[in-house]
Amino acid sequence: MEPGHPFNPIAISADPIAATSEPQREVTVPEGTGPLEVITQVHASGDNVHYAILAPVAPALFTIDEVTGEIRSTGRLKVAHTRLLVLAYNALRPADRDTATLNITVQGTDRQAPSCVPAISVSQVPETVSPGETLVTLRCTDPTGTEDCLHYALEGPPASLSRFHMEGPQLQVNTTLDCDSETMDAVGFQFTATIVVTAGGQPPRSTRVPVLVTVTPVNEFTPTCPSGADFTVLETAAFGSAVGRVAGTDRDYPPNSLEYSLEGGTGPAQPFSIDTHTGEIRVVGPLDFQQHKSYRLTVRLTDTRNDLDPTNRRSRLCNVFVRLQAVPNQAPVCTPEVQELRITAGLGGRQPVTRLACQGSPSGAALTYAIAGGNEDGRFRLEGSTLFYLPDDLAEPRTFVLLVEVWGSPSAPRRSTMVALVVHVTPRTTPVPPSSSTTRHTTLKKEPLVITRTEAMWHPPAWFVAVLTVSSALLLATLGCMARSLLCGHRDPGKLLVDKSSWDVVEQKGGKEEWGHPNTGSPGQFDGRAQDPRECPVPWPL
């Protein structure tokens, strides 16, 4: 083999290393080639041929197999240009050799996908948006400069694919987005999809753009009044009684989200109220059929939560009629109307006698009971419909005839029922006939009842009678003595004169002698007074 001759990297022969007509060889390698991958292979003719890289002296990117001549990469290749000087020589005769030059180019491969703006599409549209309206337009670029070859497609759930479509880089509405339905509520009034932008080439390169479309509600419809909003209520309805419910409607979603109010408020001319949320009408004032036979209420229906703007609300006025039903003022019915009762007066507190069984009007108004007559000395008391006897020192059996008045409604004129109770009270010490029981309820025939009224009399106490008797006796005795004295004086006038003269003599003596006491020193001396054994003694003045 003659030195200086190049080797033939392709042909192999048995001759010594022969020169090739290609002193340099161009090799192109794609970017990203991995380590130890075969880049190319060189061949030389001759015996005992071995290979080596002369330049660069310390190759960093490539290595050569000494026997086979395969050139491999030492790592992942990046874009670069390298020149290798390869030596082929006879291992037995190193002087027999030849060289060849390899120009290796690592060519970059453009694997970048298209770039789009916006990278994520989030939009909010009203439910009234028209079909065909564009929601978003993508601006996409291809690093290779082939924007005209980009392809746009839409992927996502069937609900989104049925309502949107792609028109080139534009996302457009395909059909109505009306959200007044439960279907829209099920998806939360939101649609999700993905726009796939694909560029040509091998392999194809694509970019995915997520899309979120939120549909906002619009208050499109006005509430509707109910048909036949007429109610009837008894004039005796109690406070808080339900009259009826106004059921308005609204087509906007959520359905029938209404508020109710009464125009003019609540007052004497309108004794009703309405629940804001349910529309239920209740009684909050007195009702009188004689004053108002019916009421006309104006109810305002206002929709809520039907628009993105809470101030965008719609309302409607509805007429509601409330008619009063008169309730006849009937007297209560008591059974029985006449009762005969027997009780034994006990000791201690009150004892029940009977309980009246009375029914009032259908309105259920409470009944009032009162003792109208026959309750002498307050021996009986009514508590509700129960009659009680208050025990006292009753000495003898006694019969009471009580009249109990029962009435219901306080309206005038008052209609009441009178119940007669004949109560026989027997003291505990008085034996009770065995034929009678302690308490017996007897229904008497409806016959005329004769009631005897006893006038009250004054019964003075015993000490007063005794004092009056003694005083009267003393007065009579005094008057009798005075009359006797006068009669005796008229029988002998002379003696009366003598007595008077004697009295005058006593006065002239200056009171030295006392009346009726003669001088003890002269027992026989005459004192000037006439003495008569029949004379009546003068009584000492009282």
Side-chain angles (χ1 to χ4, degrees):
M1 181 178 71
E2 296 181 357
H5 287 202
F7 62 90
N8 186 350
I10 301 176
I12 300 177
S13 63
D15 297 338
I17 296 178
T20 177
S21 60
E22 190 176 2
Q24 292 187 3
R25 183 177 177 187
E26 300 292 334
V27 179
T28 302
V29 182
E31 179 187 12
T33 301
L36 300 180
E37 290 190 15
V38 177
I39 304 302
T40 187
Q41 186 179 12
V42 295
H43 297 273
S45 301
D47 299 328
N48 301 320
V49 179
H50 283 221
Y51 304 92
I53 297 178
L54 296 179
V57 179
L61 299 177
F62 303 97
T63 183
I64 189 169
D65 189 283
E66 182 181 1
V67 178
T68 63
E70 292 179 346
I71 298 176
R72 296 175 180 270
S73 60
T74 59
R76 187 169 295 280
L77 301 180
K78 297 182 180 180
V79 177
H81 180 76
T82 304
R83 175 175 291 185
L84 298 180
L85 180 60
V86 179
L87 171 64
Y89 64 93
N90 191 332
L92 299 179
R93 293 184 297 175
D96 188 5
R97 63 167 116 187
D98 201 351
T99 59
T101 302
L102 297 179
N103 294 323
I104 301 177
T105 302
V106 180
Q107 185 178 14
T109 301
D110 187 7
R111 296 177 179 271
Q112 296 181 0
S115 176
C116 297
V117 177
I120 298 177
S121 175
V122 179
S123 57
Q124 181 174 285
V125 296
E127 63 173 324
T128 54
V129 63
S130 302
E133 186 169 340
T134 300
L135 301 183
V136 62
T137 300
L138 298 181
R139 298 186 300 276
C140 299
T141 58
D142 186 4
T144 62
T146 58
E147 286 81 359
D148 295 339
C149 297
L150 297 179
H151 178 264
Y152 300 86
L154 188 66
E155 295 180 351
S160 300
L161 298 180
S162 63
R163 285 179 167 82
F164 306 99
H165 72 279
M166 295 300 300
E167 188 69 31
Q170 296 179 344
L171 177 65
Q172 295 183 349
V173 179
N174 188 42
T175 184
T176 177
L177 300 181
D178 184 19
C179 62
D180 297 326
S181 64
E182 295 183 358
T183 303
M184 290 292 292
D185 188 19
V187 299
F189 305 97
Q190 290 182 337
F191 296 96
T192 58
T194 302
I195 300 176
V196 181
V197 183
T198 305
Q202 293 296 329
R205 295 162 289 116
S206 61
T207 297
R208 306 174 74 85
V209 179
V211 175
L212 174 64
V213 180
T214 302
V215 182
T216 60
V218 177
N219 194 358
E220 304 175 79
F221 307 102
T222 302
T224 304
C225 295
S227 59
D230 295 344
F231 307 104
T232 302
V233 63
L234 295 175
E235 65 171 338
T236 56
F239 181 89
S241 300
V243 176
R245 181 176 178 271
V246 180
T249 57
D250 187 16
R251 293 172 55 188
D252 292 299
Y253 198 86
N256 306 328
S257 56
L258 301 174
E259 289 183 354
Y260 301 84
S261 61
L262 280 178
E263 295 293 302
T266 301
Q270 189 168 272
F272 302 97
S273 68
I274 190 169
D275 189 278
T276 304
H277 303 289
T278 63
E280 189 172 27
I281 299 177
R282 292 185 177 273
V283 178
V284 294
L287 305 178
D288 191 348
F289 182 79
Q290 300 299 328
Q291 297 181 0
H292 297 279
K293 293 179 174 55
S294 64
Y295 292 87
R296 178 182 177 182
L297 309 181
T298 302
V299 179
R300 179 178 292 275
L301 310 182
T302 306
D303 54 15
T304 61
R305 301 181 292 119
N306 298 135
D307 198 282
L308 184 63
D309 182 6
T311 61
N312 186 16
R313 308 175 70 178
R314 295 171 178 257
S315 63
R316 183 184 296 274
L317 296 178
C318 304
N319 292 325
V320 177
F321 294 91
V322 179
R323 293 178 173 81
L324 299 187
Q325 181 177 347
V327 177
N329 189 11
Q330 299 177 352
V333 177
C334 298
T335 306
E337 295 183 355
V338 179
Q339 298 185 41
E340 185 176 6
L341 309 168
R342 296 182 183 275
I343 63 171
T344 299
L347 300 177
R350 60 186 184 177
Q351 61 184 103
V353 178
T354 186
R355 183 175 182 179
L356 302 181
C358 300
Q359 295 181 352
S361 61
S363 61
L367 298 178
T368 304
Y369 302 82
I371 299 177
N375 189 18
E376 290 87 354
D377 300 335
R379 297 176 184 270
F380 296 89
R381 178 185 299 173
L382 264 176
E383 293 186 6
S385 61
T386 304
L387 179 69
F388 291 92
Y389 175 72
L390 306 180
D392 56 2
D393 55 349
L394 185 66
E396 297 180 354
R398 188 172 178 183
T399 299
F400 298 87
V401 179
L402 303 179
L403 296 180
V404 179
E405 184 180 8
V406 184
W407 69 92
S409 175
S411 60
R414 185 171 72 186
R415 294 181 179 273
S416 61
T417 298
M418 199 70 68
V419 179
L421 303 177
V422 180
V423 183
H424 304 282
V425 181
T426 303
R428 180 174 292 274
T429 57
T430 303
V432 180
S435 60
S436 61
S437 59
T438 302
T439 302
R440 184 177 63 183
H441 300 269
T442 305
T443 303
L444 303 180
K445 296 182 179 180
K446 296 183 179 180
E447 298 179 356
L449 179 65
V450 179
I451 300 176
T452 304
R453 183 180 298 275
T454 304
E455 298 292 338
M457 298 179 63
W458 179 55
H459 299 279
W463 64 269
F464 183 84
V465 176
V467 171
L468 183 61
T469 303
V470 173
S471 300
S472 300
L474 292 177
L475 179 60
L476 292 175
T478 303
L479 293 176
C481 292
M482 291 179 63
R484 182 179 179 183
S485 176
L486 293 175
L487 292 175
C488 292
H490 283 292
R491 291 177 182 176
D492 194 354
K495 293 181 179 180
L496 180 60
L497 294 175
V498 173
D499 291 341
K500 183 176 182 182
S501 299
S502 300
W503 179 259
D504 293 339
V505 172
V506 174
E507 289 182 349
Q508 290 176 2
K509 289 181 180 181
K512 294 181 180 180
E513 293 181 5
E514 295 181 359
W515 168 259
H517 294 80
N519 192 349
T520 57
S522 301
Q525 189 177 354
F526 178 70
D527 56 3
R529 292 185 298 175
Q531 298 290 332
D532 190 354
R534 298 177 300 171
E535 182 179 358
C536 295
V538 179
W540 190 262
L542 297 176

